[in-house]
Amino acid sequence: TKLIFVGRRSGLQPSGGRVVSMVDVSTSDASALAPALPAAQRRLLAQVERLFARIPHRFTVSVTSALGLMRELFTVKGAGTLLRKGSVVTRVGGWAEVDRARVRALVEEAFGKPLVAGFEDRPVSGIYLADDYRGAAVMTPTALGPYLSNFAVTTIARGEGIGRDLWRALIADHPRLFWRSRADNPITPWYREQCDGMHRVSLAGAEWWVLWRGLPPADLAGAITYCLAAPPDFA
């Protein structure tokens, strides 16, 4: 399920650029990257694409250096370039269409704490599931547009890029959305790269960020107020 190429370079690196952290061979990522790579790495990328075309089961390929090999083998984040096929993301309309217990288990594993009782009874506008309950996003309807109530990926799946696939599917359907995240949440720095704007707030004695995409200025105050008043997800 995992193949590692070890070379002098720490990953696939375009001429004059930085090492690429992830390549999705099921999209145009690979074809866009290939012309910028040195000849040897271009051939390696073509070889990897042939492997993905021939091997039926899910697997990943990493390209790293000898110095990065231990980090690639024994950490979730890895080292070098990860090449993989995109995840299958499914959207359903409500809780009746999912295994509630598996969604709860996924979210609790991802955050390391229990959800509040009745979390699954809250209204939703959509639930996104990735790769057999290895990632999930829960959307709540509001007068301002969709609110991202929860975005969760299992610990191991984070190193496989499933979170990125889930996010792509989410924003393709929702160019306008908003959400909140604790300042000490490890995913918050990544959220800050994905948003159009953000506002820091204090909530229950902790520091949080309210973040948004596609909201007009007139709706920002309402989005912040909603996030401050939204009930907690975790016990």
Side-chain angles (χ1 to χ4, degrees):
T1 59
K2 188 177 183 74
L3 174 64
I4 302 176
F5 288 95
V6 180
R8 292 176 61 192
R9 294 173 182 261
S10 57
L12 297 181
Q13 185 174 6
S15 300
R18 296 183 176 181
V19 170
V20 178
S21 63
M22 186 178 298
V23 178
D24 186 343
V25 299
S26 61
T27 67
S28 60
D29 286 4
S31 58
L33 174 64
L37 294 175
Q41 290 203 335
R42 218 165 33 242
R43 291 193 296 271
L44 175 60
L45 178 58
Q47 181 181 4
V48 170
E49 288 186 285
R50 290 195 297 272
L51 285 172
F52 276 108
R54 295 175 183 178
I55 297 176
H57 61 265
R58 177 167 291 279
F59 77 108
T60 61
V61 175
S62 296
V63 180
T64 190
S65 66
L67 291 175
L69 181 58
M70 291 299 103
R71 193 149 57 97
E72 179 61 43
L73 285 171
F74 298 114
T75 70
V76 171
K77 188 174 181 180
T81 301
L82 175 70
L83 299 103
R84 31 86 74 178
K85 277 188 176 179
S87 310
V88 176
V89 179
T90 304
R91 180 188 179 184
V92 298
W95 289 110
E97 300 172 65
V98 302
D99 185 327
R100 295 188 180 200
R102 292 186 72 183
V103 173
R104 171 175 280 270
L106 160 63
V107 174
E108 291 181 341
E109 177 193 339
F111 285 88
K113 44 190 170 183
L115 286 164
V116 295
F119 175 80
E120 302 95 328
D121 297 325
R122 297 177 182 176
V124 297
S125 57
I127 301 173
Y128 290 76
L129 297 172
D131 266 6
D132 194 29
Y133 290 83
R134 299 176 73 203
V138 180
M139 306 297 297
T140 300
T142 80
L144 296 169
Y147 169 71
L148 176 57
S149 171
N150 230 286
F151 187 89
V153 179
T154 63
T155 304
I156 294 176
R158 291 172 198 167
E160 299 177 15
I162 288 177
R164 187 174 73 160
D165 296 332
L166 192 60
W167 185 258
R168 279 181 173 176
L170 187 67
I171 63 173
D173 290 345
H174 301 289
R176 171 189 172 116
L177 77 157
F178 65 101
W179 68 103
R180 69 184 182 185
S181 181
R182 287 182 68 105
D184 58 359
N185 186 339
I187 199 177
T188 298
W190 183 80
Y191 277 152
R192 292 171 66 177
E193 295 175 2
Q194 313 306 316
C195 70
D196 293 337
M198 53 195 167
H199 180 73
R200 187 168 59 185
V201 297
S202 179
L203 182 60
E207 186 176 295
W208 289 70
W209 288 95
V210 176
L211 308 103
W212 58 85
R213 289 175 60 97
L215 288 187
D219 288 344
L220 299 184
I224 293 168
T225 300
Y226 182 94
C227 289
L228 286 170
D233 293 335
F234 297 96

